[in-house]
Amino acid sequence: MQQSSTHITVRTQGKRLYDITPQVTDWVADTGLQAGLLTLYIQHTSASILVNENYDSDVLVDMEAFFARLVPEGDPLFIHTAEGPDDMPAHIRSALTQTSISIPILNGAVALGTWQGIFLYEHRRMSHTRKVLLHAIGE
């Protein structure tokens, strides 16, 4: 059994989904693992990690539109606004999505489906530098 770990850094430019599939799949290929498990973990409370469709970009637009309606900025319900009106909504979005995902490694590659991609989902309006930890274990 072998293990390998690294991190990728993503500079975001506001709310949206950022495709990190190439960085992740390239790193897994470089590990030399043929079978195992990949875990991704984002070290932030106002961004998340998702597996979603990477073929039609309308999916990504619709995801953001849905979350904007589901968790609107400036809702008087929120008292945590230390960093602005998008602060608490970003934390809720993160709680509703995922901060960690696991994907099998098969035949030396990340076992994504035909239309699947891996995305960092930025929930804040301002630019941020986000860090995603990658850990692979297998043979």
Side-chain angles (χ1 to χ4, degrees), residues 19-66:
D19 188 353
I20 61 170
T21 310
Q23 298 98 304
V24 173
T25 57
D26 289 351
W27 178 77
V28 168
D30 289 346
T31 68
L33 294 174
Q34 292 302 301
L37 186 66
L38 168 68
T39 301
L40 294 91
Y41 176 74
I42 190 162
Q43 294 186 300
H44 305 279
T45 60
S46 57
S48 54
I49 296 290
L50 299 175
V51 172
N52 212 314
E53 181 173 324
N54 69 349
Y55 178 75
D56 184 350
S57 62
D58 286 348
V59 171
L60 308 180
V61 173
D62 289 346
M63 286 286 294
E64 182 52 38
F66 174 78

Side-chain angles (χ1 to χ4, degrees), residues 12-18 42 44-50 60 63-68 70-73 83-99 119-128 130:
T12 66
Q13 301 296 317
K15 285 185 194 179
R16 71 177 182 89
L17 289 109
Y18 295 82
I42 190 162
H44 305 279
T45 60
S46 57
S48 54
I49 296 290
L50 299 175
L60 308 180
M63 286 286 294
E64 182 52 38
F66 174 78
F67 273 96
L70 183 66
V71 190
E73 291 184 20
E83 296 177 38
D86 69 337
D87 193 8
M88 191 63 212
H91 295 303
I92 292 171
R93 286 169 168 229
S94 182
L96 292 174
T97 52
Q98 302 163 60
T99 56
F119 296 88
L120 183 151
Y121 193 3
E122 175 63 65
H123 302 301
R124 300 297 305 269
R125 282 187 270 136
M126 298 291 293
S127 299
H128 287 83
R130 302 300 193 176

Side-chain angles (χ1 to χ4, degrees), residues 97-116:
T97 52
Q98 302 163 60
T99 56
S100 177
I101 59 173
S102 296
I103 306 170
I105 299 169
L106 300 172
N107 301 316
V110 179
L112 291 169
T114 302
W115 306 115
Q116 289 182 321

